[in-house]
Amino acid sequence: MSVQERKERERAARERLIVATARELAEQQGWDAVTTRRLSERIEYSQPVLYSHFRGKREIIGAVALEGAAEMAAALRAAASDADGPRARVTALARAYLDFAARNPAVYDAMFQLDGGLAFAQKDTPEPLKDAFAALLENLDEVAGDGVHPALFTELFWASLHGLATLTRAGRLPPEDTERRTELLVNRLTVL
């Protein structure tokens, strides 16, 4: 292995450490606790080293969001692949989405609530974000209904799930009714 390859590998490892530490700190104490000073203390690198990877907290949030989008896409596809039939797939998608949001609140915030400097629904949207949307779309196109554009249906479904996740977490919706809401959403929005 060349010196250059070793340096690139070490740089990538430091970057993963920064992102993992930011994510861990945010999940434990919230995003307000994630500062470059605290991160540099936790990872035992100076702030200039941290800034050599990320220009600031916004880019770190973006990196966490991209990592989360990839994880969400994998969780959605796994849930859909284990389901038998269109309605079961849609229900599994909804449950997987809501479960991901509940289990990873700081990551979910990085993805959808905080400014990570990422473009959504544009040509320059990063691939992990496109893939998370695609994980929904590829399983919803068959249930959108005649004359309904699958991508628009997927946006509506996603917006509904996002609303449920956000309102439940904020205590605006009682969590004990999550399953009933999920069933109602699937039954009312899908055409089977």
Side-chain angles (χ1 to χ4, degrees), residues 117-132:
L118 304 174
F120 281 81
Q122 305 198 10
K123 288 182 182 180
D124 61 342
T125 298
E127 208 49 49
L129 298 178
K130 289 179 184 178
D131 191 48

Side-chain angles (χ1 to χ4, degrees), residues 5-21:
E5 289 172 330
R6 181 183 53 79
K7 285 183 179 184
E8 288 174 11
R9 192 176 69 216
E10 289 171 355
R11 180 172 176 75
R14 268 194 318 272
E15 195 163 297
R16 284 191 305 275
L17 177 62
I18 293 166
V19 171
T21 304

Side-chain angles (χ1 to χ4, degrees), residues 52-94:
S52 74
H53 290 273
F54 299 99
R55 286 183 280 189
K57 184 174 177 177
R58 182 179 187 218
E59 285 189 5
I60 294 169
I61 290 169
V64 170
L66 293 176
E67 188 175 89
E71 291 171 9
M72 178 182 272
L76 293 171
R77 286 191 175 101
S81 71
D82 290 342
D84 186 30
R87 185 175 302 278
R89 271 192 297 283
V90 175
T91 301
L93 282 174

Side-chain angles (χ1 to χ4, degrees), residues 2 8 11 23 28 58 71 105 110 131 154 166 170 173 177:
S2 73
E8 288 174 11
R11 180 172 176 75
R23 183 175 173 166
Q28 292 170 351
R58 182 179 187 218
E71 291 171 9
D131 191 48
T154 301
T166 303
L173 297 174
D177 292 329

Side-chain angles (χ1 to χ4, degrees), residues 96-115:
Y97 184 99
L98 295 172
D99 182 58
F100 181 89
R103 284 184 299 107
N104 304 283
V107 173
Y108 192 81
D109 285 349
M111 292 169 65
F112 300 118
Q113 303 290 99
L114 302 174
D115 180 9

